C-alpha cells in the first residue's frame, strides 16, 4: 500500500481541568467533617462517662482561682500576685489559701478530744468488722454441720433433734428430745448412743473455730405438776451438761476452751407455752462470741 492510499486518522484529546466531579476538594472537606463528628461524639461520650467530681476537677483545671482578673497583670511594673495583703496584685491567692485551710472556730474541741473521738470510731469499726467476720464463720460452721448430717445415713434420721441458730451469745447448737427419742435415759445423766453420736459430730464443727464454748443442760416439767422445775432438776440438768462436756473432750475438744458448764433445770423452756413437752429437755452448746482485743489507752 502506497502512502497516498493510507487512511487519515484524526485523534482528538479532551483536556479535563480540575479533575472529575469538580476536582478532589470535596474529599478533604468530607474528611474534615468526619473528623469533627468523631471528635464531637467522643466528647459526648467522655461527658457521659465522667462523674460530677471529675467534671468539677476539669473545670477547676481550666479556670484556676489564682488567675488575675486584669489584662495587665497588677497594673504596675514588677507587680505580681502575693500571698499576703501587702503589695500590688490583681487577684492574689489568699482566698484560695483560706478555702483550703480555714481557721478553726472558737468553740472547736481541743486536739485531745478529737483523738478520743477518732479512737472511739476506730474501736467501733473494729468491733463491727470482727462481728461481721464472726457471723460469717458461724454461718459456715452451721452449714458444714448440716451437710454432715445429711451425708451420713446414721445421722440423717437424727437431724430433727438438732437445732442450730445464732444468738447474741454466739452460735448455739441444741440437742433436743423428741417423744420416744430421748437423748438421756429417764432421770439419768448418762447420754445414750444417739446423743453420743451427735456430740461427736458436733465436735468436728467446734474444732473448726477457736471460740470458747458453754454447755447448758435443760429439763422439762413433769406432766401434771404445778411447778416447771422439780427439786432434783437442777442437779440433773447440771450433771447432763457435765456428761456432755466429757464426751466432747474425749472426742478432741480442748478442755481449756470450755468456759462454762451449767444446768438451768426447767427455768428456760424451749416451748414456754407447754413446759412439759419433750423438746424442753435439751443440751445447749454455744460457741461464744469473742470480744475484740483492743489496745489499752496509754494516755490515762
Amino acid at each position: 500500500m502506497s502512502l497516498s492510499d493510507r487512511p487519515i486518522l484524526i485523534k482528538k484529546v479532551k483536556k479535563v481541568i480540575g479533575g472529575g466531579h469538580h476536582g478532589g476538594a470535596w474529599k478533604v472537606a468530607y474528611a474534615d467533617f468526619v473528623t469533627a463528628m468523631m471528635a464531637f461524639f467522643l466528647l459526648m461520650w467522655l461527658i457521659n462517662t465522667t462523674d460530677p467530681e471529675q467534671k468539677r476537677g476539669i473545670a477547676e483545671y481550666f479556670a484556676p482561682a489564682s488567675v488575675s482578673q486584669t489584662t495587665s497583670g497588677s497594673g504596675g511594673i514588677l507587680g505580681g500576685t502575693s500571698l499576703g495583703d501587702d503589695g500590688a496584685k490583681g487577684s492574689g491567692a489568699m482566698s484560695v489559701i483560706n478555702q483550703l485551710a480555714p481557721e478553726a472556730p472558737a468553740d472547736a474541741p481541743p486536739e485531745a478530744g478529737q483523738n478520743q473521738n477518732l479512737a472511739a470510731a476506730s474501736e467501733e469499726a473494729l468491733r463491727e468488722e470482727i462481728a461481721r467476720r464472726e457471723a460469717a464463720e458461724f454461718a459456715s460452721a452451721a452449714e458444714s454441720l448440716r451437710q454432715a448430717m445429711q451425708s451420713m445415713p446414721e445421722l440423717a434420721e437424727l437431724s430433727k433433734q438438732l437445732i442450730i441458730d445464732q444468738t447474741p451469745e454466739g452460735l448455739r447448737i441444741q440437742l433436743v428430745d423428741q417423744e420416744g427419742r430421748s437423748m438421756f435415759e429417764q432421770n439419768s445423766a448418762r447420754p445414750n448412743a444417739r446423743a453420743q453420736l451427735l456430740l461427736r459430730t458436733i465436735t468436728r464443727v467446734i474444732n473448726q473455730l477457736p471460740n470458747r464454748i458453754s454447755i447448758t443442760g435443760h429439763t422439762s416439767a413433769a406432766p401434771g405438776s404445778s411447778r416447771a422445775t422439780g427439786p432434783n432438776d437442777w442437779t440433773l440438768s447440771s450433771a447432763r451438761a457435765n456428761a456432755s462436756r466429757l464426751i466432747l473432750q474425749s472426742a478432741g475438744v480442748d478442755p481449756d476452751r470450755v468456759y462454762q458448764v451449767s444446768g438451768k433445770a426447767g427455768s428456760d423452756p424451749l416451748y414456754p407455752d407447754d413446759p412439759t413437752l419433750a423438746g424442753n429437755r435439751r443440751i445447749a452448746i454455744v460457741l461464744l462470741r469473742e470480744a475484740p482485743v483492743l489496745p489499752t489507752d496509754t494516755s490515762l
Side-chain angles (χ1 to χ4, degrees), residues 163 172 174 176 218-221 225-229 265-282:
I163 301 177
R172 182 175 61 180
Q174 298 187 93
V176 300
H218 301 267
T219 60
S220 62
S225 175
S226 59
R227 294 183 301 175
T229 302
S267 61
D268 186 17
L270 184 62
Y271 303 100
D273 296 338
D274 191 355
T276 63
L277 287 178
N280 293 313
R281 299 190 298 270
R282 66 195 189 278

Side-chain angles (χ1 to χ4, degrees), residues 81-96:
T81 61
S82 65
L83 297 180
D85 294 333
D86 299 331
K89 60 183 182 295
S91 177
M94 179 60 71
S95 60
V96 179

Side-chain angles (χ1 to χ4, degrees), residues 4-242:
S4 59
D5 295 335
R6 291 181 178 177
I8 300 174
L9 301 177
I10 301 174
K11 183 178 180 182
K12 295 183 179 180
V13 179
K14 184 178 180 181
K15 296 183 178 180
V16 179
I17 301 176
H21 301 286
H22 307 288
W26 68 273
K27 300 179 181 179
V28 178
Y30 180 73
D32 292 341
F33 171 75
V34 172
T35 304
M37 292 300 295
M38 182 180 67
F40 173 74
F41 285 112
L42 181 61
L43 177 62
M44 293 294 101
W45 177 77
L46 290 174
I47 293 176
N48 187 44
T49 55
T50 54
D51 54 23
E53 189 68 23
Q54 293 174 333
K55 294 177 182 177
R56 191 179 303 109
I58 296 174
E60 292 177 354
Y61 176 80
F62 287 102
S66 60
V67 175
S68 175
Q69 296 178 355
T70 64
T71 58
S72 60
S74 63
I77 187 171
L78 299 180
T81 61
S82 65
L83 297 180
D85 294 333
D86 299 331
K89 60 183 182 295
S91 177
M94 179 60 71
S95 60
V96 179
I97 295 177
N98 290 336
Q99 293 177 3
L100 295 179
E103 296 182 359
D107 57 348
E111 185 178 356
Q114 294 178 357
N115 292 337
Q116 291 178 359
N117 293 336
L118 291 176
S122 300
E123 292 178 3
E124 184 65 24
L126 178 60
R127 289 191 178 92
E128 291 179 356
E129 179 63 17
I130 291 178
R132 184 186 66 81
R133 293 186 180 182
E134 200 169 44
E137 292 176 350
F138 285 163
S140 177
E143 183 62 26
S144 64
L145 180 58
R146 294 189 182 96
Q147 291 179 357
M149 296 290 294
Q150 296 297 328
S151 60
M152 300 176 64
E154 63 272 19
L155 294 176
E157 60 178 6
L158 302 178
S159 59
K160 294 182 180 180
Q161 295 184 251
L162 201 66
I163 301 177
I164 309 171
D165 58 354
Q166 292 196 35
T167 67
E169 295 180 347
L171 179 64
R172 182 175 61 180
I173 305 172
Q174 298 187 93
L175 286 72
V176 300
D177 282 4
Q178 288 184 328
E179 291 295 339
R181 300 178 68 89
S182 176
M183 296 286 104
F184 296 85
E185 300 297 334
Q186 187 174 3
N187 297 326
S188 173
R190 179 179 176 81
N192 56 26
R194 195 180 300 113
Q196 294 182 26
L197 181 59
L198 285 176
L199 288 170
R200 292 191 179 93
T201 305
I202 294 172
T203 302
R204 305 176 188 174
V205 177
I206 295 177
N207 289 335
Q208 292 179 7
L209 301 175
N211 304 65
R212 295 179 297 173
I213 63 174
S214 69
I215 307 172
T216 307
H218 301 267
T219 60
S220 62
S225 175
S226 59
R227 294 183 301 175
T229 302
N232 297 326
D233 288 347
W234 296 101
T235 304
L236 181 60
S237 60
S238 300
R240 287 180 173 179
N242 190 53

